[in-house]
């Protein structure tokens, strides 16, 4: 095993013992909390363009500790004009640090429709990018067509934004009838 310490690669077993076991996760220090904002969704040709209000809550999950770097999330989208609920999902993010502020991330997400997603990807200090892999989607027998066949999620934090931190969150999706394309794009602001 080798780790990055500053600008150096450390692969000496004796030196590795001196490095902290849990590398800091700057991304989660930014992400943890409540985010609210607006977004635009569409999925041609099935779903015409719509605007929504998006609320995303991220908090430490149980168990959580030095060996269990797990956070839970809950996301709700409501129609911007009518406040009607459009979509909700909840799940977990598991982080596997490889370097300081970089590593692998796993996302498990489920929706009321029964669609369940297992995605993997990478993270840095201000973003993550995950996609469903290895048949990482499952659905109940009652699911309606067209079936979702792939999902990609991308998130970027802008911590330097004044007066509040902002986030751009994008969901891309493919179905058995359409190629991968953008489905949701939200711009959120961290709540105090």
């Amino acid at each position: 095993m080798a780790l990055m310490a500053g600008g150096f690669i450390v692969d000496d077993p004796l030196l590795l013992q001196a490095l902290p076991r849990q590398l800091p996760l700057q991304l989660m220090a930014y992400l943890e909390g409540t985010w609210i904002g607006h977004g635009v969704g569409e999925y041609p040709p099935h779903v015409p363009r719509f605007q929504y209000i998006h609320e995303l809550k991220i908090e430490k999950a149980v168990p959580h500790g030095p060996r269990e770097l797990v956070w839970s999330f809950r996301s709700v989208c409501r129609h911007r004009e009518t406040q009607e609920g459009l979509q909700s999902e909840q799940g977990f993010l598991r982080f596997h640090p490889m370097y300081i502020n970089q590593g692998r991330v796993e996302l498990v997400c489920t929706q009321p429709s029964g669609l369940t997603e297992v995605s993997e990807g990478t993270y840095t200090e201000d973003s993550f990018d995950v996609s469903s892999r290895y048949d990482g989607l499952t659905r109940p027998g009652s699911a309606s067509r067209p079936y979702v066949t792939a999902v990609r999620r991308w998130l970027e934090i802008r911590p330097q934004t004044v007066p509040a931190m902002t986030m751009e969150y994008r969901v891309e999706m493919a179905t058995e009838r359409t190629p991968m394309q953008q489905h949701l794009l939200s711009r959120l602001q961290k709540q105090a």
Side-chain angles (χ1 to χ4, degrees):
M1 180 172 126
L3 293 174
M4 287 290 290
F8 302 98
I9 296 175
V10 178
D11 59 0
D12 183 303
L14 291 175
L15 291 175
L16 282 171
Q17 291 177 12
L19 292 176
R21 295 278 180 215
Q22 179 182 348
L23 299 173
L25 292 175
Q26 187 64 47
L27 175 63
M28 291 319 297
Y30 293 149
L31 274 179
E32 203 169 307
T34 301
W35 297 79
I36 298 176
H38 298 278
V40 176
E42 63 184 329
Y43 202 78
H46 310 294
V47 179
R49 182 171 269 220
F50 60 94
Q51 295 185 346
Y52 59 90
I53 298 169
H54 189 177
E55 182 175 348
L56 175 62
K57 291 184 180 183
I58 300 174
E59 59 190 6
K60 288 181 178 149
V62 176
H64 184 90
R67 296 184 184 272
E68 296 288 336
L69 300 175
V70 182
W71 279 262
S72 65
F73 68 90
R74 183 170 186 275
S75 173
V76 176
C77 296
R78 299 185 185 285
H79 193 279
R80 190 170 183 172
E81 294 172 8
T82 66
Q83 302 299 310
E84 175 188 0
L86 299 174
Q87 174 182 342
S88 67
E89 56 191 20
Q90 57 190 20
F92 297 94
L93 293 161
R94 291 183 357 154
F95 290 85
H96 303 278
M98 296 172 70
Y99 307 103
I100 294 176
N101 287 322
Q102 295 181 33
R104 293 182 309 107
V105 61
E106 299 166 352
L107 177 139
V108 177
C109 179
T110 188
Q111 299 178 8
S113 66
L115 179 65
T116 302
E117 167 191 352
V118 177
S119 293
E120 297 179 54
T122 58
Y123 74 89
T124 65
E125 67 180 295
D126 62 359
S127 66
F128 73 71
D129 185 353
V130 296
S131 56
S132 53
R133 301 173 195 246
Y134 315 112
D135 298 323
L137 296 172
T138 187
R139 65 192 62 76
S142 62
S144 59
R145 290 188 177 254
Y147 293 150
V148 175
T149 57
V151 177
R152 180 178 181 204
R153 295 168 188 269
W154 177 84
L155 174 145
E156 183 177 16
I157 300 286
R158 295 185 179 90
Q160 69 281 2
T161 308
V162 177
M165 199 177 305
T166 61
M167 170 197 301
E168 185 170 299
Y169 179 67
R170 182 178 16 193
V171 178
E172 298 174 352
M173 189 171 71
T175 70
E176 53 192 1
R177 295 184 192 155
T178 55
M180 185 72 81
Q181 59 185 305
Q182 186 169 296
H183 175 48
L184 302 172
L185 174 62
S186 302
R187 290 191 173 85
L188 309 173
Q189 191 170 57
K190 190 166 188 178
Q191 305 301 296

